[in-house]
Structures are given as structure tokens and as C-alpha cells.
Coordinates of all heavy atoms in Angstrom, one line a residue:
A1 N 182.9 174.3 127.0 CA 182.3 173.0 126.8 C 181.2 172.8 127.9 O 181.3 173.4 129.0 CB 183.3 171.8 127.0
D2 N 180.1 172.2 127.5 CA 179.0 172.0 128.5 C 178.4 170.6 128.2 O 178.9 169.8 127.5 CB 178.0 173.1 128.4 CG 177.4 173.2 127.0 OD1 177.4 172.2 126.3 OD2 176.9 174.3 126.7
S3 N 177.2 170.4 128.9 CA 176.6 169.0 128.8 C 176.0 168.8 127.4 O 175.5 167.7 127.2 CB 175.5 168.9 129.8 OG 174.5 169.8 129.6
T4 N 176.1 169.7 126.5 CA 175.6 169.5 125.1 C 176.7 169.6 124.1 O 176.5 170.0 122.9 CB 174.5 170.5 124.8 OG1 175.0 171.8 124.9 CG2 173.3 170.3 125.7
S5 N 178.0 169.3 124.5 CA 179.1 169.4 123.6 C 179.0 168.4 122.4 O 178.4 167.3 122.6 CB 180.4 169.2 124.3 OG 180.6 170.2 125.3
V6 N 179.7 168.8 121.3 CA 179.8 167.8 120.2 C 181.1 167.0 120.5 O 182.2 167.5 120.7 CB 180.0 168.6 118.8 CG1 180.3 167.6 117.7 CG2 178.7 169.4 118.5
I7 N 180.9 165.7 120.5 CA 182.0 164.7 120.7 C 182.3 164.1 119.4 O 181.4 163.6 118.7 CB 181.6 163.6 121.7 CG1 180.9 164.2 123.0 CG2 182.8 162.7 122.1 CD1 181.9 165.1 123.8
S8 N 183.6 164.0 119.0 CA 184.1 163.4 117.8 C 184.9 162.1 118.1 O 185.4 162.0 119.2 CB 185.0 164.3 117.0 OG 184.2 165.5 116.7
V9 N 184.9 161.2 117.2 CA 185.7 159.9 117.3 C 186.5 159.7 116.1 O 186.0 160.0 115.0 CB 184.8 158.7 117.7 CG1 183.7 158.5 116.6 CG2 185.6 157.5 118.0
R10 N 187.7 159.1 116.2 CA 188.5 158.6 115.1 C 189.2 157.3 115.6 O 189.4 157.1 116.7 CB 189.4 159.6 114.6 CG 190.6 159.9 115.5 CD 191.6 160.9 114.9 NE 192.3 161.6 115.9 CZ 192.4 162.9 116.0 NH1 191.8 163.7 115.1 NH2 193.0 163.5 117.0
A11 N 189.5 156.5 114.6 CA 190.2 155.2 114.9 C 191.6 155.3 114.3 O 191.9 155.9 113.3 CB 189.4 154.1 114.2
N12 N 192.5 154.6 115.1 CA 193.9 154.5 114.6 C 194.4 153.1 114.9 O 194.1 152.5 116.0 CB 194.8 155.4 115.4 CG 194.4 156.9 115.2 OD1 194.6 157.4 114.1 ND2 194.0 157.6 116.2
R13 N 195.0 152.4 113.9 CA 195.6 151.1 114.1 C 196.9 151.3 114.8 O 197.7 152.2 114.5 CB 195.8 150.4 112.8 CG 194.5 150.0 112.0 CD 194.1 148.7 112.4 NE 195.1 147.7 112.2 CZ 195.1 146.8 111.2 NH1 194.2 146.8 110.3 NH2 196.1 145.9 111.2
T14 N 197.2 150.4 115.7 CA 198.5 150.5 116.5 C 199.7 150.0 115.6 O 200.8 150.4 115.9 CB 198.4 149.6 117.7 OG1 198.1 148.3 117.4 CG2 197.4 150.2 118.7
D15 N 199.4 149.4 114.5 CA 200.5 148.9 113.6 C 200.7 150.0 112.4 O 201.5 149.7 111.5 CB 200.2 147.6 113.0 CG 198.9 147.5 112.2 OD1 198.3 148.6 111.9 OD2 198.5 146.4 111.8
G16 N 200.0 151.1 112.5 CA 200.2 152.1 111.5 C 199.4 152.0 110.2 O 199.3 152.9 109.4
L17 N 198.7 150.9 110.0 CA 197.8 150.7 108.9 C 196.6 151.5 109.0 O 196.2 151.9 110.1 CB 197.5 149.2 108.7 CG 198.7 148.3 108.4 CD1 198.2 146.8 108.3 CD2 199.4 148.7 107.1
N18 N 195.9 151.7 107.9 CA 194.7 152.5 107.9 C 193.6 151.8 108.7 O 193.3 150.6 108.6 CB 194.2 152.7 106.4 CG 193.0 153.6 106.3 OD1 192.7 154.4 107.2 ND2 192.3 153.5 105.2
A19 N 192.9 152.6 109.5 CA 191.8 152.1 110.4 C 190.5 152.9 110.0 O 190.2 153.9 110.7 CB 192.1 152.2 111.8
S20 N 189.9 152.6 108.9 CA 188.8 153.4 108.4 C 187.6 153.1 109.3 O 187.1 151.9 109.4 CB 188.4 153.0 107.0 OG 189.4 153.4 106.1
L21 N 187.1 154.1 110.0 CA 186.0 154.0 110.9 C 184.7 154.3 110.1 O 184.7 155.4 109.4 CB 186.1 154.9 112.1 CG 185.0 154.9 113.1 CD1 185.0 153.6 113.8 CD2 185.2 156.0 114.2
H22 N 183.8 153.5 110.1 CA 182.5 153.7 109.3 C 181.4 154.0 110.3 O 181.3 153.5 111.3 CB 182.2 152.4 108.5 CG 183.3 152.0 107.6 ND1 183.4 152.5 106.3 CD2 184.3 151.2 107.7 CE1 184.4 152.0 105.7 NE2 185.1 151.2 106.6
G23 N 180.6 155.0 109.9 CA 179.5 155.4 110.7 C 179.7 156.9 111.1 O 180.7 157.5 110.7
P24 N 178.7 157.4 111.8 CA 178.8 158.8 112.2 C 180.0 159.1 113.1 O 180.1 158.4 114.1 CB 177.5 159.1 112.9 CG 176.8 157.8 113.1 CD 177.5 156.8 112.2
S25 N 180.8 160.0 112.8 CA 182.0 160.3 113.6 C 181.8 161.4 114.6 O 182.7 161.7 115.4 CB 183.2 160.7 112.7 OG 182.9 161.9 112.0
Q26 N 180.6 161.9 114.7 CA 180.3 162.9 115.7 C 178.9 162.6 116.4 O 178.0 162.0 115.8 CB 180.2 164.3 115.2 CG 181.6 164.8 114.7 CD 181.5 166.3 114.3 OE1 180.5 166.7 113.7 NE2 182.6 167.0 114.5
S27 N 178.8 163.0 117.6 CA 177.6 162.9 118.4 C 177.4 164.1 119.3 O 178.4 164.6 119.9 CB 177.6 161.6 119.2 OG 176.4 161.5 119.9
V28 N 176.2 164.6 119.4 CA 176.0 165.8 120.3 C 175.5 165.2 121.6 O 174.6 164.4 121.7 CB 174.9 166.7 119.7 CG1 174.6 167.8 120.7 CG2 175.3 167.3 118.4
A29 N 176.2 165.6 122.7 CA 175.8 165.1 124.0 C 174.5 165.7 124.4 O 174.2 166.9 124.2 CB 176.9 165.5 125.0
V30 N 173.7 164.9 125.1 CA 172.4 165.3 125.6 C 172.5 165.0 127.1 O 172.7 163.9 127.5 CB 171.2 164.6 125.0 CG1 169.9 165.0 125.6 CG2 171.2 164.9 123.5
N31 N 172.3 166.1 127.9 CA 172.5 165.9 129.4 C 173.8 165.2 129.7 O 173.8 164.4 130.6 CB 171.3 165.1 130.0 CG 170.0 165.9 129.8 OD1 170.0 167.1 129.9 ND2 168.9 165.2 129.5
G32 N 174.8 165.6 129.0 CA 176.2 165.1 129.3 C 176.5 163.7 128.8 O 177.6 163.2 129.1
V33 N 175.7 163.1 127.9 CA 175.9 161.8 127.4 C 175.8 161.8 125.9 O 174.8 162.3 125.3 CB 174.9 160.7 127.9 CG1 175.2 159.4 127.3 CG2 174.9 160.7 129.4
A34 N 176.9 161.3 125.2 CA 176.9 161.3 123.7 C 176.8 159.8 123.3 O 177.6 159.0 123.8 CB 178.2 161.9 123.2
Y35 N 175.9 159.5 122.5 CA 175.7 158.1 122.0 C 176.2 158.0 120.6 O 175.9 158.9 119.7 CB 174.2 157.7 122.0 CG 173.6 157.7 123.4 CD1 173.0 158.8 124.0 CD2 173.7 156.5 124.1 CE1 172.5 158.7 125.3 CE2 173.2 156.4 125.4 CZ 172.6 157.5 126.0 OH 172.0 157.4 127.2
F36 N 177.0 157.0 120.3 CA 177.4 156.7 119.0 C 176.7 155.5 118.5 O 176.8 154.4 119.2 CB 179.0 156.5 118.9 CG 179.7 157.8 119.1 CD1 180.0 158.3 120.4 CD2 180.1 158.5 118.0 CE1 180.7 159.5 120.6 CE2 180.8 159.7 118.2 CZ 181.1 160.2 119.4
D37 N 176.1 155.5 117.3 CA 175.4 154.4 116.8 C 176.0 154.0 115.4 O 176.5 154.8 114.7 CB 173.9 154.8 116.5 CG 173.1 155.0 117.8 OD1 173.4 154.4 118.8 OD2 172.3 155.9 117.8
N38 N 176.0 152.7 115.2 CA 176.4 152.1 113.9 C 177.9 152.3 113.5 O 178.2 152.4 112.4 CB 175.5 152.6 112.8 CG 174.1 152.2 113.0 OD1 173.8 151.1 113.3 ND2 173.2 153.2 112.8
L39 N 178.8 152.4 114.5 CA 180.2 152.5 114.2 C 180.7 151.1 113.9 O 180.4 150.1 114.5 CB 181.0 153.0 115.4 CG 180.8 154.5 115.7 CD1 181.6 154.9 117.0 CD2 181.0 155.4 114.6
T40 N 181.5 151.0 112.8 CA 182.1 149.7 112.5 C 183.6 149.9 112.0 O 183.9 151.0 111.5 CB 181.3 149.0 111.3 OG1 181.4 149.8 110.2 CG2 179.9 148.7 111.7
L41 N 184.4 148.9 112.2 CA 185.7 148.8 111.6 C 185.8 147.5 110.8 O 185.3 146.5 111.3 CB 186.8 148.8 112.8 CG 186.9 150.1 113.5 CD1 187.6 149.9 114.9 CD2 187.7 151.1 112.7
H42 N 186.4 147.6 109.7 CA 186.5 146.4 108.8 C 187.8 145.6 108.9 O 187.8 144.4 108.7 CB 186.2 146.8 107.4 CG 184.8 147.3 107.1 ND1 184.4 147.8 105.9 CD2 183.7 147.4 107.9 CE1 183.2 148.2 106.0 NE2 182.7 147.9 107.2
K43 N 188.9 146.3 109.3 CA 190.2 145.6 109.3 C 190.4 145.1 110.7 O 190.3 145.8 111.7 CB 191.3 146.6 108.9 CG 191.2 146.9 107.4 CD 191.4 145.6 106.6 CE 191.4 145.9 105.1 NZ 191.5 144.6 104.3
A44 N 190.8 143.8 110.8 CA 191.1 143.2 112.1 C 192.5 143.7 112.6 O 193.4 144.1 111.8 CB 191.2 141.7 111.9
G45 N 192.6 143.8 113.9 CA 193.9 144.2 114.6 C 193.6 145.1 115.7 O 192.5 145.5 116.0
A46 N 194.7 145.4 116.4 CA 194.7 146.3 117.6 C 194.4 147.7 117.1 O 195.1 148.2 116.2 CB 196.0 146.2 118.4
T47 N 193.4 148.3 117.7 CA 193.0 149.6 117.2 C 192.7 150.5 118.5 O 192.3 150.0 119.5 CB 191.7 149.5 116.4 OG1 191.9 148.6 115.3 CG2 191.2 150.8 115.8
T48 N 192.9 151.8 118.3 CA 192.5 152.7 119.3 C 191.3 153.6 118.8 O 191.3 153.9 117.6 CB 193.6 153.6 119.8 OG1 194.1 154.4 118.7 CG2 194.8 152.8 120.4
L49 N 190.4 153.9 119.7 CA 189.4 154.9 119.4 C 189.7 156.1 120.2 O 189.8 156.0 121.4 CB 188.0 154.4 119.7 CG 187.5 153.2 118.9 CD1 186.2 152.7 119.5 CD2 187.4 153.5 117.5
E50 N 189.8 157.3 119.6 CA 190.0 158.5 120.3 C 188.8 159.4 120.2 O 188.3 159.7 119.2 CB 191.2 159.3 119.7 CG 191.5 160.6 120.4 CD 192.6 161.4 119.8 OE1 193.2 161.0 118.7 OE2 193.0 162.4 120.4
F51 N 188.3 159.8 121.4 CA 187.1 160.6 121.5 C 187.6 162.0 122.0 O 188.4 162.1 122.9 CB 186.1 160.1 122.5 CG 185.6 158.7 122.1 CD1 186.2 157.6 122.5 CD2 184.4 158.7 121.3 CE1 185.7 156.3 122.1 CE2 183.9 157.4 121.0 CZ 184.6 156.3 121.3
W52 N 187.1 163.1 121.4 CA 187.5 164.4 121.8 C 186.4 165.4 121.5 O 185.5 165.2 120.7 CB 188.8 164.8 121.1 CG 188.7 165.3 119.7 CD1 188.5 166.6 119.3 CD2 188.6 164.5 118.5 NE1 188.4 166.6 117.9 CE2 188.4 165.3 117.4 CE3 188.7 163.1 118.3 CZ2 188.3 164.8 116.1 CZ3 188.5 162.6 117.0 CH2 188.4 163.5 115.9
S53 N 186.6 166.5 122.2 CA 185.7 167.7 122.0 C 186.5 168.9 122.4 O 187.4 168.9 123.3 CB 184.5 167.6 122.9 OG 183.6 168.7 122.7
P54 N 186.4 170.0 121.7 CA 187.1 171.2 122.0 C 187.0 171.6 123.5 O 185.9 171.5 124.1 CB 186.5 172.3 121.1 CG 185.9 171.6 120.0 CD 185.5 170.3 120.6
S55 N 188.1 171.9 124.1 CA 188.2 172.3 125.5 C 187.9 171.2 126.5 O 187.8 171.5 127.7 CB 187.3 173.6 125.8 OG 185.9 173.2 125.9
L56 N 187.8 170.0 126.1 CA 187.7 168.9 127.0 C 188.9 168.0 126.8 O 189.5 167.9 125.8 CB 186.4 168.0 126.8 CG 185.1 168.8 127.0 CD1 183.9 167.9 126.6 CD2 185.0 169.1 128.5
T57 N 189.3 167.2 127.9 CA 190.4 166.3 127.8 C 189.9 165.1 126.9 O 188.8 164.6 127.1 CB 190.7 165.8 129.2 OG1 191.1 166.9 130.0 CG2 191.9 164.8 129.1
S58 N 190.8 164.7 126.0 CA 190.4 163.6 125.1 C 190.5 162.3 125.8 O 191.1 162.2 126.9 CB 191.3 163.6 123.8 OG 192.6 163.3 124.2
L59 N 189.9 161.3 125.2 CA 189.9 159.9 125.8 C 190.3 158.9 124.7 O 189.8 159.0 123.6 CB 188.4 159.6 126.3 CG 188.1 158.2 126.7 CD1 188.8 157.8 127.9 CD2 186.6 158.0 126.8
V60 N 191.2 158.0 125.1 CA 191.6 156.9 124.1 C 191.3 155.6 124.7 O 191.6 155.3 125.9 CB 193.1 157.0 123.8 CG1 193.5 155.9 122.9 CG2 193.4 158.4 123.2
V61 N 190.6 154.8 124.0 CA 190.3 153.4 124.4 C 190.9 152.4 123.4 O 191.0 152.7 122.2 CB 188.8 153.1 124.5 CG1 188.2 154.0 125.6 CG2 188.0 153.4 123.2
H62 N 191.3 151.3 123.9 CA 192.0 150.3 123.1 C 191.0 149.1 122.8 O 190.4 148.6 123.8 CB 193.3 149.8 123.7 CG 194.2 150.8 124.0 ND1 195.2 151.2 123.1 CD2 194.4 151.7 125.1 CE1 195.9 152.2 123.6 NE2 195.4 152.5 124.8
I63 N 190.9 148.7 121.6 CA 190.0 147.6 121.3 C 190.8 146.6 120.3 O 191.7 147.1 119.6 CB 188.7 148.0 120.6 CG1 188.9 148.7 119.3 CG2 187.9 148.8 121.6 CD1 187.6 149.0 118.6
N64 N 190.4 145.4 120.3 CA 190.9 144.4 119.3 C 189.8 144.0 118.4 O 188.8 143.4 118.8 CB 191.5 143.2 120.0 CG 192.3 142.3 119.1 OD1 193.0 142.8 118.2 ND2 192.1 141.0 119.2
V65 N 190.0 144.3 117.1 CA 189.0 143.9 116.1 C 189.4 142.6 115.6 O 190.5 142.4 115.1 CB 189.0 145.0 115.0 CG1 187.9 144.6 113.9 CG2 188.7 146.4 115.5
T66 N 188.4 141.6 115.6 CA 188.7 140.3 115.1 C 188.0 140.2 113.7 O 187.2 141.0 113.3 CB 188.1 139.2 116.0 OG1 186.7 139.4 116.2 CG2 188.7 139.2 117.4
A67 N 188.5 139.2 113.0 CA 188.0 138.9 111.6 C 186.5 138.6 111.6 O 186.0 137.9 112.6 CB 188.8 137.9 110.9
A68 N 185.8 138.9 110.6 CA 184.4 138.5 110.4 C 184.4 137.0 110.0 O 185.5 136.4 109.8 CB 183.8 139.4 109.3
P69 N 183.2 136.4 109.8 CA 183.2 135.0 109.3 C 183.9 134.8 108.0 O 184.0 135.7 107.1 CB 181.7 134.7 109.2 CG 181.1 135.7 110.1 CD 181.9 136.9 110.0
A70 N 184.4 133.6 107.8 CA 185.1 133.2 106.6 C 184.2 133.4 105.4 O 183.0 133.0 105.4 CB 185.6 131.8 106.7
A71 N 184.8 134.0 104.3 CA 183.9 134.3 103.1 C 184.6 134.0 101.8 O 184.0 133.8 100.8 CB 183.5 135.7 103.2
Q72 N 186.0 133.9 101.8 CA 186.7 133.8 100.5 C 188.0 133.2 100.7 O 188.6 133.2 101.8 CB 186.8 135.2 99.9 CG 187.5 136.2 100.7 CD 187.4 137.6 100.2 OE1 187.1 137.8 99.0 NE2 187.7 138.6 101.0
L73 N 188.6 132.7 99.6 CA 189.9 132.2 99.6 C 190.8 133.2 98.9 O 190.4 134.0 98.1 CB 190.0 130.9 98.7 CG 189.1 129.7 99.3 CD1 189.2 128.6 98.4 CD2 189.6 129.4 100.7
H74 N 192.1 133.2 99.4 CA 193.1 134.2 98.9 C 194.4 133.4 98.7 O 194.8 132.6 99.6 CB 193.3 135.3 100.0 CG 194.4 136.2 99.7 ND1 194.4 137.2 98.8 CD2 195.7 136.2 100.2 CE1 195.5 137.8 98.7 NE2 196.4 137.2 99.6
I75 N 195.0 133.6 97.6 CA 196.3 133.0 97.3 C 197.4 133.8 97.9 O 197.6 135.0 97.5 CB 196.5 132.7 95.8 CG1 197.7 131.9 95.5 CG2 196.6 134.0 95.0 CD1 197.5 130.4 95.7
A76 N 198.1 133.2 98.9 CA 199.2 133.9 99.5 C 200.5 133.7 98.8 O 201.4 134.5 98.8 CB 199.3 133.4 101.0
R77 N 200.6 132.5 98.2 CA 201.8 132.2 97.3 C 201.3 131.2 96.2 O 200.7 130.2 96.5 CB 202.9 131.5 98.2 CG 204.1 131.2 97.3 CD 205.3 130.7 98.1 NE 205.0 129.3 98.5 CZ 205.6 128.7 99.5 NH1 206.6 129.2 100.2 NH2 205.3 127.4 99.8
N78 N 201.6 131.6 95.0 CA 201.2 130.8 93.9 C 202.2 129.7 93.6 O 203.4 129.8 94.0 CB 201.1 131.8 92.6 CG 200.1 131.3 91.6 OD1 199.6 130.2 91.7 ND2 199.9 132.1 90.6
A79 N 201.7 128.7 92.9 CA 202.6 127.6 92.5 C 203.5 128.1 91.4 O 203.1 128.9 90.6 CB 201.7 126.4 92.0
A80 N 204.7 127.5 91.4 CA 205.6 128.0 90.3 C 206.5 126.8 90.0 O 206.7 125.8 90.7 CB 206.4 129.2 90.8
Q81 N 207.2 126.9 88.8 CA 208.2 126.0 88.3 C 207.6 124.6 88.3 O 208.0 123.6 88.9 CB 209.4 126.0 89.2 CG 210.1 127.3 89.2 CD 210.5 127.8 90.6 OE1 210.3 127.1 91.6 NE2 211.1 129.0 90.7
A82 N 206.4 124.4 87.5 CA 205.7 123.2 87.4 C 206.2 122.4 86.2 O 206.2 122.9 85.1 CB 204.2 123.4 87.4
T83 N 206.7 121.2 86.4 CA 207.1 120.2 85.4 C 206.3 118.9 85.6 O 206.2 118.5 86.8 CB 208.6 120.0 85.5 OG1 209.3 121.2 85.3 CG2 209.0 119.0 84.4
G84 N 205.8 118.4 84.5 CA 205.0 117.1 84.6 C 205.7 116.1 85.5 O 206.9 115.8 85.2
G85 N 205.0 115.5 86.5 CA 205.6 114.5 87.3 C 206.6 114.9 88.4 O 207.1 114.1 89.1
V86 N 206.9 116.2 88.4 CA 207.9 116.7 89.4 C 207.2 117.6 90.4 O 206.3 118.4 90.0 CB 209.0 117.4 88.6 CG1 210.0 118.0 89.6 CG2 209.7 116.5 87.6
R87 N 207.6 117.5 91.6 CA 207.1 118.4 92.7 C 207.3 119.9 92.3 O 208.3 120.2 91.8 CB 207.8 118.1 94.0 CG 207.3 118.9 95.2 CD 208.2 118.4 96.4 NE 207.7 119.1 97.6 CZ 208.3 120.3 98.0 NH1 209.3 120.8 97.4 NH2 207.8 120.8 99.1
F88 N 206.2 120.7 92.5 CA 206.3 122.1 92.2 C 207.5 122.7 92.9 O 207.8 122.4 94.0 CB 205.1 122.9 92.6 CG 203.8 122.5 92.0 CD1 202.6 122.9 92.5 CD2 203.7 121.8 90.8 CE1 201.4 122.6 92.0 CE2 202.5 121.5 90.2 CZ 201.4 121.9 90.8
G89 N 208.2 123.6 92.2 CA 209.4 124.3 92.8 C 208.9 125.2 94.0 O 209.6 125.4 94.9
S90 N 207.7 125.7 93.8 CA 207.1 126.6 94.9 C 205.7 126.1 95.1 O 204.9 126.1 94.1 CB 207.1 128.0 94.4 OG 206.5 128.9 95.4
Q91 N 205.4 125.6 96.3 CA 204.1 125.1 96.6 C 203.1 126.2 96.9 O 203.4 127.2 97.5 CB 204.1 124.1 97.7 CG 205.0 122.9 97.5 CD 204.4 122.0 96.4 OE1 203.2 121.7 96.4 NE2 205.2 121.5 95.5
P92 N 201.8 126.1 96.4 CA 200.8 127.1 96.7 C 200.4 127.2 98.2 O 200.4 126.2 98.9 CB 199.6 126.7 95.8 CG 199.8 125.3 95.7 CD 201.2 125.0 95.7
I93 N 200.1 128.4 98.6 CA 199.6 128.6 99.9 C 198.3 129.4 99.8 O 198.2 130.4 99.1 CB 200.5 129.4 100.8 CG1 201.8 128.6 101.0 CG2 199.9 129.8 102.2 CD1 202.9 129.4 101.8
V94 N 197.2 128.8 100.3 CA 195.9 129.5 100.2 C 195.4 129.8 101.6 O 195.5 129.0 102.5 CB 194.9 128.5 99.5 CG1 193.5 129.1 99.5 CG2 195.3 128.2 98.1
E95 N 194.9 131.0 101.8 CA 194.4 131.5 103.1 C 192.9 131.7 103.0 O 192.3 131.9 101.9 CB 195.1 132.9 103.4 CG 196.6 132.8 103.6 CD 197.2 134.2 103.8 OE1 196.5 135.2 103.4 OE2 198.3 134.2 104.3
I96 N 192.3 131.6 104.2 CA 190.8 131.9 104.3 C 190.7 133.3 104.8 O 191.3 133.6 105.9 CB 190.2 130.9 105.2 CG1 190.3 129.5 104.6 CG2 188.7 131.2 105.4 CD1 189.9 128.4 105.6
H97 N 189.9 134.1 104.1 CA 189.7 135.5 104.5 C 188.2 135.8 104.7 O 187.4 135.1 104.2 CB 190.3 136.5 103.4 CG 191.7 136.6 103.4 ND1 192.4 137.7 103.0 CD2 192.7 135.6 103.7 CE1 193.7 137.5 103.1 NE2 193.9 136.2 103.5
D98 N 188.0 136.9 105.5 CA 186.6 137.4 105.6 C 186.3 138.3 104.4 O 187.1 138.5 103.5 CB 186.3 138.0 106.9 CG 187.1 139.3 107.2 OD1 187.7 139.9 106.2 OD2 187.1 139.8 108.3
V99 N 185.1 138.9 104.4 CA 184.7 139.8 103.2 C 185.6 141.0 103.2 O 185.6 141.7 102.1 CB 183.2 140.1 103.3 CG1 182.4 138.9 103.1 CG2 182.8 140.9 104.5
Y100 N 186.3 141.4 104.2 CA 187.1 142.6 104.3 C 188.6 142.3 104.0 O 189.4 143.2 104.1 CB 186.9 143.3 105.6 CG 185.5 143.6 105.9 CD1 184.8 142.9 106.9 CD2 184.7 144.5 105.2 CE1 183.5 143.1 107.2 CE2 183.4 144.7 105.4 CZ 182.8 144.0 106.4 OH 181.4 144.2 106.7
G101 N 188.9 141.1 103.7 CA 190.3 140.8 103.4 C 191.1 140.4 104.6 O 192.3 140.2 104.5
N102 N 190.5 140.2 105.8 CA 191.2 139.8 107.0 C 191.4 138.3 107.0 O 190.5 137.6 106.7 CB 190.4 140.2 108.3 CG 190.2 141.7 108.4 OD1 191.2 142.4 108.4 ND2 189.0 142.1 108.5
L103 N 192.6 137.9 107.4 CA 192.8 136.4 107.6 C 192.0 135.9 108.8 O 192.0 136.5 109.8 CB 194.3 136.2 107.9 CG 194.8 134.8 108.2 CD1 194.6 134.0 106.9 CD2 196.2 134.8 108.6
V104 N 191.3 134.8 108.5 CA 190.4 134.2 109.5 C 191.3 133.1 110.2 O 191.6 132.2 109.5 CB 189.1 133.6 108.9 CG1 188.3 132.9 110.0 CG2 188.3 134.7 108.3
T105 N 191.6 133.3 111.5 CA 192.5 132.4 112.2 C 191.8 131.4 113.1 O 192.4 130.6 113.7 CB 193.5 133.1 112.9 OG1 192.9 134.0 113.9 CG2 194.4 134.0 112.0
N106 N 190.5 131.6 113.3 CA 189.7 130.7 114.2 C 188.3 130.4 113.6 O 187.9 131.1 112.7 CB 189.7 131.2 115.6 CG 189.1 132.5 115.7 OD1 188.4 133.0 114.8 ND2 189.3 133.2 116.8
G107 N 187.7 129.4 114.1 CA 186.3 129.1 113.6 C 186.4 128.1 112.5 O 187.5 127.6 112.1
S108 N 185.3 127.9 111.8 CA 185.3 127.0 110.6 C 184.5 127.7 109.5 O 183.6 128.5 109.8 CB 184.7 125.7 111.0 OG 183.3 125.9 111.5
A109 N 184.8 127.3 108.3 CA 184.1 127.9 107.1 C 182.9 127.0 106.7 O 182.9 125.9 107.0 CB 185.1 128.0 106.0

């Protein structure tokens, strides 16, 4: 390894769910510095980014990905057992999600 090594990156969710990292997953170091541009994660939650290069010690950083702005409604529980004039047996629950399907827990729509 030298100051022009190829550095790779991958994402892992700490809850075991898929953490699809979007953008270039490799960068060639120039004078010992590798720049990563346009990396994005779409799913909210605790995530680790692992950087590695052959013959170099890998590096793991922890980040928390938050939801994007509110964009859509999602039915979490549908209404059921409806009879005229009688309270539904199961009341509906509607959630606010971002464009990636993450629950939006703060801010306003």
C-alpha cells in the first residue's frame, strides 16, 4: 500500500437490515487522501461505514441516518370489522413516511 492506494467503502446497518450505499464505492488516494463524492444512504437508522484497502488497517465509522422530508402516507394498520353505526373493531393507523419508506418522526409535513 502507498499514498495512491484504492480505498473501498461499504455500509452496514447495526440492526441487520440492508444498508444499500449509493454512489461510487471506491476512490483512489492522491497524495495519501481519498475523496468520496455523492455517497447516499436511503434507509434511516444506525449505520456503520467501513473503509478498507488491501494491506492497510480498515476503519469503521458510526453514523445515524435520519429520515428525509415527509412525502407520503402509509397504512400501518387497516380498519376492520366495520358495521354501520358501530365503532370499527380495528381502528386504522396511518404513518407519515419519506420517499424511501422511512417513518418521519420529527418536523412537519
Side-chain angles (χ1 to χ4, degrees):
D2 59 24
S3 65
T4 60
S5 295
V6 174
I7 311 297
S8 300
V9 61
R10 70 175 154 233
N12 297 297
R13 291 272 305 256
T14 58
D15 60 8
L17 297 176
N18 185 19
S20 295
L21 184 64
H22 301 271
S25 62
Q26 292 186 327
S27 178
V28 177
V30 175
N31 296 322
V33 179
Y35 294 93
F36 287 87
D37 294 325
N38 299 315
L39 292 179
T40 62
L41 289 163
H42 294 173
K43 290 297 179 183
T47 305
T48 61
L49 296 177
E50 181 182 5
F51 298 90
W52 78 95
S53 183
S55 74
L56 293 174
T57 303
S58 65
L59 168 70
V60 175
V61 295
H62 301 272
I63 62 172
N64 187 43
V65 180
T66 58
Q72 59 191 339
L73 297 176
H74 172 79
I75 188 81
R77 183 175 70 197
N78 207 352
Q81 300 132 1
T83 302
V86 177
R87 183 178 180 268
F88 296 164
S90 177
Q91 297 294 315
I93 298 174
V94 176
E95 298 174 339
I96 299 171
H97 285 212
D98 67 11
V99 296
Y100 306 110
N102 296 305
L103 179 65
V104 177
T105 59
N106 57 14
S108 59

